[in-house]
Amino acid sequence: MLPPVCPLLLLLLLLLGDPGAAAPPPDSLSQLAAPQHVKIHLYNAKQVLRWDPSFPSNDSRPVVYRVQYKYTIGQWHDVTLEHPGVNCTKITATICDFTAGPSKGFLPHFNVSLQVRAELGELTSSWVTVPWFQHYRNVSVGPPRSISVTPGKGSLIIYLSPPFDIFNSKANFLYYVHYWEKTGTQQVKGPFRNNSIVLDNLKPFTVYCLQVKAQLLWRQENLSRPGNLSDTSCYKTIADASTKLQRDIMISLGTFSALLVLAGSCFFLFQKYRGLVKYWFHTPPSIPVKIEEYLKDPAQPILEALDKDSSPKDDAWDSVSIISFPEEEQEDVLQTL
């Protein structure tokens, strides 16, 4: 009679098998290595699945990949041109861009699961599944696509377009503007729902720098996805009506003062250097015409004409009568007579 422990040992040996026996051959359909680092990238409207290739095999044939999807309730389906509009079946690339097709990817509010495996002839790898996602829940929001800024009167008027188009009435973008004077501290205004934003109460003739950020708000699930800031751009405000009037008045007063100072300086210099000014502006003496003609042509009888003109003329005289003398002078005159 066997001891009570023997049946237990026999059962254990049956379960483990014979230690000296050869191991059963592996399943030939699971010998292929699976793709690695499978990730779904959601940026703005893009939906892209990426992975690293499987380890190379000794087979000369290329390894191909198959991608499947399913919704919350449903079966797995191959990603084909019929749905969702791109072919990711038996592809050699390690990327599947769902937004490359006409449907532009899965609906953003759908719950989607994905899996991918490698295939080589009859060999297949195990499936690698990525966590389910909803586009609005998991997307990375970029900055606004375009930003246009127009300087206003003590303000900046911003026109922008959303990071991507939204066709769901229960989702929209909110915008925040980070702005600061070029040498000042940063301020934030928002949220703004419109694509046209006015930053008012700014200093005129001042340079302001700004960045804009978009935030996705999904009201159906009460979720929000913050976005990335745009590149920094700087603009100079212009004057409002009152500032422009003050500037014009100041310019006029400055011009008048400058002219007044200039006129006073000129008058002072003229008084101080009057003799020098007269000397500068005095007409130099000119040579008489006849002498100038003689210098030009010495053969002309100019000297004779000058002598003739300078000949003595009859002296002109006037008669003078003595009407009275003083007494002493009168006696002297009589004595001489």
Side-chain angles (χ1 to χ4, degrees):
M1 182 176 181
L2 293 175
V5 72
C6 290
L8 296 177
L9 291 175
L10 291 174
L11 180 60
L12 183 61
L13 289 174
L14 290 175
L15 292 175
L16 295 177
D18 187 0
D27 185 0
S28 61
L29 298 182
S30 62
Q31 290 179 347
L32 198 60
Q36 301 180 13
H37 308 119
V38 183
K39 293 181 180 180
I40 182 69
H41 295 267
L42 306 173
Y43 182 79
N44 288 343
K46 300 291 288 184
Q47 300 174 355
V48 181
L49 183 68
R50 299 178 185 270
W51 61 90
D52 292 337
S54 306
F55 290 111
S57 64
N58 296 328
D59 199 310
S60 60
R61 293 173 297 175
V63 176
V64 296
Y65 301 93
R66 180 185 300 270
V67 180
Q68 292 185 339
Y69 74 95
K70 78 168 184 175
Y71 299 118
T72 305
I73 301 175
Q75 302 296 321
W76 288 101
H77 302 279
D78 289 338
V79 176
T80 62
L81 292 175
E82 294 182 0
H83 191 79
V86 293
N87 179 40
C88 291
T89 301
K90 293 186 177 298
I91 59 174
T92 57
T94 57
I95 180 175
C96 180
D97 187 356
F98 302 102
T99 51
S103 62
K104 302 301 180 182
F106 301 102
L107 293 176
H109 59 282
F110 276 20
N111 187 319
V112 183
S113 296
L114 299 172
Q115 64 179 11
V116 59
R117 76 178 182 184
E119 298 179 354
L120 181 60
E122 295 181 354
L123 301 177
T124 61
S125 71
S126 59
W127 289 102
V128 180
T129 305
V130 297
W132 65 271
F133 69 91
Q134 288 176 300
H135 192 87
Y136 284 162
R137 183 186 297 271
N138 305 104
V139 65
S140 296
V141 180
R145 279 179 295 183
S146 64
I147 300 175
S148 175
V149 180
T150 302
K153 298 178 179 179
S155 63
L156 293 176
I157 305 172
I158 305 171
Y159 303 95
L160 48 86
S161 57
F164 58 93
D165 295 327
I166 292 179
F167 303 101
N168 191 320
S169 60
K170 296 183 179 181
N172 63 280
F173 283 108
L174 302 177
Y175 301 98
Y176 295 84
V177 180
H178 299 241
Y179 69 100
W180 62 94
E181 292 185 36
K182 201 165 186 179
T183 57
T185 57
Q186 188 177 104
Q187 304 179 61
V188 181
K189 276 193 175 182
F192 300 98
R193 293 182 177 272
N194 296 326
N195 294 358
S196 176
I197 302 172
V198 178
L199 293 179
D200 51 8
N201 298 325
L202 303 180
K203 297 179 182 178
F205 302 112
T206 305
V207 176
Y208 284 88
C209 298
L210 59 87
Q211 292 178 294
V212 183
K213 179 177 68 175
Q215 177 179 325
L216 176 63
L217 178 62
W218 189 15
R219 298 187 301 277
Q220 178 178 338
E221 299 291 335
N222 195 25
L223 292 175
S224 64
R225 295 292 297 173
N228 299 320
L229 286 169
S230 64
D231 294 334
T232 301
S233 55
C234 300
Y235 307 89
K236 186 176 182 179
T237 58
I238 61 177
D240 53 17
S242 60
T243 306
K244 187 176 181 180
L245 178 60
Q246 294 176 4
R247 183 194 62 177
D248 293 341
I249 293 175
M250 293 301 295
I251 291 176
S252 301
L253 291 176
T255 304
F256 178 76
S257 301
L259 292 176
L260 187 62
V261 171
L262 180 61
S265 301
C266 292
F267 179 76
F268 173 76
L269 292 175
F270 178 77
Q271 292 294 329
K272 185 175 181 179
Y273 301 101
R274 178 185 298 180
L276 186 58
V277 172
K278 287 184 177 180
Y279 173 77
W280 284 343
F281 292 97
H282 179 70
T283 304
S286 60
I287 302 174
V289 177
K290 292 184 178 181
I291 296 178
E292 185 178 359
E293 292 177 354
Y294 172 75
L295 294 175
K296 291 180 180 179
D297 188 7
Q300 294 183 6
I302 300 300
L303 295 178
E304 290 79 356
L306 290 175
D307 291 338
K308 185 177 180 180
D309 292 341
S310 62
S311 60
K313 298 180 180 179
D314 295 337
D315 295 334
W317 58 273
D318 294 326
S319 62
V320 179
S321 299
I322 299 174
I323 299 179
S324 64
F325 290 101
E327 294 180 356
E328 294 180 356
E329 292 182 359
Q330 185 175 8
E331 290 178 356
D332 292 339
V333 170
L334 293 176
Q335 290 177 1
T336 56
L337 294 176

